[in-house]
Amino acid sequence: MTLPRLDPHQRSIDYLRISITDRCNERCLYCMPEGLVEWKERHEILTYEEILRIARVAARIGFRKFRVTGGEPLIRKDVVPFLSELARLPGIQSLGVSTNGTRLSVLAKDLHKAGVQTLNISLDALTPSVYHQITKGDVHAVVDGIHAALKAGFERIKLNTVLIRGLNEDEIWPLIHFAGEHGLILRFIELMPISTTDVLTDANFLGAGEVIRRLSQRDRLIPLETVRLGHGPARYYRLEQNAVTIGFIGVMTNLHFCEACNKVRLTADGKLRPCLGNHLEVDVREPMRHGATDEEIEHIFEQTLLDKPLEHTFRDQYQPARRMHAIGG
Ligand code: SAM
Ligand code: SF4
């Protein structure tokens, strides 16, 4: 079978982002706010064996980069042995984990030993009260986790900050300094209309362009046009005086955002989702539980790639049907 590397829009698709749980130990306003959570039943969630089988098929047909996410992936039981098996699948070139960082002080070393190469750690603020306001969590646990991750020796660690006007604007420079001190890449993510909460309003939206303009008043941003620091469509800059690399994930304002898209998502309940900002999903769980062969699973991947939209629909009055934590960010 030919490798389905190109989608109908000539984008090379080789990145599978796998959500292993829809649950989390934090309650970020923009993702899983308190009171708005509907968990999937346990039997709806793919077992590790099922995920590994899907990943094996994906690797066989040309997927090379894998990232495990959630919900919070590091709260799922036995995540380390699972990652260790995933890392050993033939064909996988890169394995990363996205995490809120709260369990890293316990798990960082084991994750590294298991074969995880890169970490994306969410950090929306350094001021404890602001961090708590956004996530309901404790920033000290995350900072401890970041230190543990630095010690463990991962190939690359990125910090991710969701921009929220009126909430973490004043955290931007402290986060830049923190990233600089620890040699970390810091990425700012535009708020996406994925949840249904009050935080996703025009008033709370802070675009990448505005942040770039503000930063330029204090330092020179040198565009790193040719640098690809990871597998996603972020735009990177080097801050000249602060000597920090920062990136912007301008999902909402960058009209070329989808041109560089190279991924497909596997939701925790076994749906292949070719685009975060489009409701289209292709079920792989039920066919698999009803005896689908590996070739049939390959065919489901092929269909998903054929249906991958040219662009997300977040700018078109998108109405979320499935919240971010249930997709896998
Ligand atoms: N729990 C892990 C974490 O927080 O990093 C992994 C899953 S989380 C859904 C993945 C990423 O999605 C995080 O960086 C988070 O900030 C981002 N995210 C969640 N909801 C978002 C939203 N509505 N808009 C923009 N980014 C969002
Ligand atoms: Fe949990 Fe990550 Fe969603 Fe925050 S963004 S609620 S940490 S899954």
Side-chain angles (χ1 to χ4, degrees):
M1 170 182 174
T2 49
L3 300 181
R5 295 276 181 81
L6 292 184
D7 75 357
H9 313 291
Q10 302 310 303
R11 291 171 300 196
S12 169
I13 314 294
D14 63 354
Y15 182 1
L16 185 64
R17 196 171 282 197
I18 302 172
S19 171
I20 61 168
T21 179
D22 61 340
R23 299 182 185 224
C24 187
N25 56 348
E26 291 198 327
R27 290 290 175 273
C28 299
L29 289 170
Y30 45 72
C31 176
M32 202 187 297
E34 284 182 308
L36 262 180
V37 172
E38 305 134 20
W39 307 120
K40 297 270 169 208
E41 299 282 336
R42 180 184 283 253
H43 68 88
E44 296 179 87
I45 301 296
L46 294 180
T47 64
Y48 284 143
E49 289 69 29
E50 288 172 329
I51 298 172
L52 287 166
R53 179 166 176 218
I54 296 169
R56 197 175 296 116
V57 171
R60 213 170 71 186
I61 60 175
F63 283 82
R64 293 288 169 260
K65 301 152 192 165
F66 290 71
R67 173 164 295 279
V68 170
T69 179
E72 175 46 45
L74 301 187
I75 62 168
R76 183 160 171 181
K77 201 165 163 258
D78 296 328
V79 64
V80 174
F82 159 71
L83 288 165
S84 162
E85 283 200 49
L86 185 59
R88 287 202 303 266
L89 291 184
I92 295 193
Q93 285 171 359
S94 130
L95 176 60
V97 167
S98 289
T99 172
N100 61 25
T102 53
R103 300 218 61 226
L104 280 176
S105 53
V106 181
L107 291 178
K109 229 162 125 186
D110 292 343
L111 293 176
H112 184 255
K113 239 194 268 165
V116 173
Q117 292 150 300
T118 66
L119 290 180
N120 285 357
I121 306 174
S122 291
L123 184 62
D124 290 343
L126 282 164
T127 307
S129 58
V130 180
Y131 183 86
H132 183 77
Q133 204 181 347
I134 298 173
T135 66
K136 292 287 171 284
D138 174 11
V139 74
H140 299 106
V142 183
V143 171
D144 288 351
I146 293 170
H147 285 125
L150 283 163
K151 236 165 114 186
F154 291 93
E155 274 174 31
R156 195 180 54 234
I157 302 175
K158 289 187 206 149
L159 301 179
N160 283 336
T161 302
V162 176
L163 295 165
I164 316 170
R165 189 186 295 282
L167 259 181
N168 63 356
E169 285 168 274
D170 293 342
E171 301 290 319
I172 292 175
W173 275 110
L175 283 163
I176 288 173
H177 293 142
F178 179 85
E181 268 165 42
H182 296 94
L184 301 169
I185 296 165
L186 174 63
R187 301 189 307 175
F188 295 105
I189 307 176
E190 286 180 348
L191 204 52
M192 290 176 261
I194 289 174
S195 179
T196 51
T197 64
D198 293 346
V199 86
L200 297 169
T201 62
D202 283 349
N204 288 322
F205 181 77
L206 177 60
E210 186 174 335
V211 175
I212 290 172
R213 274 193 299 282
R214 287 192 207 168
L215 297 181
S216 314
Q217 288 163 5
R218 282 173 58 176
D219 200 345
R220 194 161 88 89
L221 273 77
I222 305 162
L224 301 176
E225 298 288 0
T226 54
V227 177
R228 196 163 170 128
L229 295 165
H231 310 306
R235 283 188 175 165
Y236 288 96
Y237 298 83
R238 183 89 183 147
L239 279 169
E240 190 175 49
Q241 287 163 39
N242 285 275
V244 183
T245 299
I246 56 172
F248 291 90
I249 305 187
V251 194
M252 303 302 290
T253 58
N254 175 2
L255 299 180
H256 300 285
F257 190 79
C258 301
E259 288 171 12
C261 185
N262 56 352
K263 53 173 109 70
V264 167
R265 290 177 162 81
L266 173 65
T267 67
D269 60 344
K271 312 274 186 277
L272 286 175
R273 189 161 168 133
C275 172
L276 182 61
N278 186 295
H279 295 300
L280 182 69
E281 294 180 342
V282 187
D283 187 26
V284 62
R285 183 190 71 199
E286 284 315 299
M288 193 169 56
R289 288 185 181 173
H290 287 92
T293 61
D294 283 0
E295 286 66 33
E296 283 162 340
I297 298 174
E298 281 181 18
H299 184 69
I300 295 173
F301 267 101
E302 265 184 348
Q303 195 53 50
T304 307
L305 287 191
L306 281 176
D307 291 342
K308 189 168 164 66
L310 179 60
E311 283 186 324
H312 66 67
T313 52
F314 283 143
R315 287 182 284 264
D316 310 328
Q317 308 290 317
Y318 180 83
Q319 292 298 317
R322 188 197 262 276
R323 279 191 267 281
M324 182 68 145
H325 66 92
I327 299 173

